[in-house]
Amino acid sequence: MQTARILTIAALSAFATLGAQAAELNGDLYGTDFESKVQSVRSAAEVRAEGQKALASFNDGPVADRYAKTPSTMERPAVRSNGAIALRANSIATGERS
């Protein structure tokens, strides 16, 4: 009786293991050959040329911030005093509360 129970558990676990594989059983374990199932419609030279064209402007980044060019209308002491007033009024977020 004990041997039959062990064999039943082993058979069920083997079936469960095969059923748990999401990939096909022809060697596509964990999606390793996904490249072979894709048909490209563009040549490698086209893709490389497009990459080279985009590379020239890759590090340009966004246009300069419009606030960076705006001159300040307040003096440093006035900004510091306003910051101190806001800090005492608890209107400046600190730590993880922000």
Side-chain angles (χ1 to χ4, degrees):
M1 185 73 164
Q2 189 70 6
T3 305
R5 177 181 262 173
I6 291 173
L7 288 175
T8 304
I9 292 172
L12 287 174
S13 65
F15 286 128
T17 308
L18 287 176
Q21 294 294 328
E24 300 171 10
L25 294 178
N26 62 354
D28 185 17
L29 184 61
Y30 306 117
T32 54
D33 64 346
F34 67 91
E35 297 95 353
S36 65
K37 295 180 183 175
V38 175
Q39 294 295 322
S40 179
V41 294
R42 297 170 62 189
S43 68
E46 279 183 85
V47 175
R48 283 192 190 104
E50 185 179 340
Q52 289 295 330
K53 189 172 87 174
L55 189 62
S57 63
F58 181 71
N59 283 333
D60 288 347
V63 180
D65 190 22
R66 63 186 170 107
Y67 296 111
K69 295 182 179 181
T70 306
S72 178
T73 58
M74 295 180 68
E75 295 294 324
R76 184 176 293 242
V79 172
R80 285 189 178 181
S81 66
N82 286 343
I85 292 169
L87 184 64
R88 279 188 237 115
N90 288 329
S91 62
I92 297 177
T94 58
E96 294 181 6
R97 294 185 305 171
S98 59

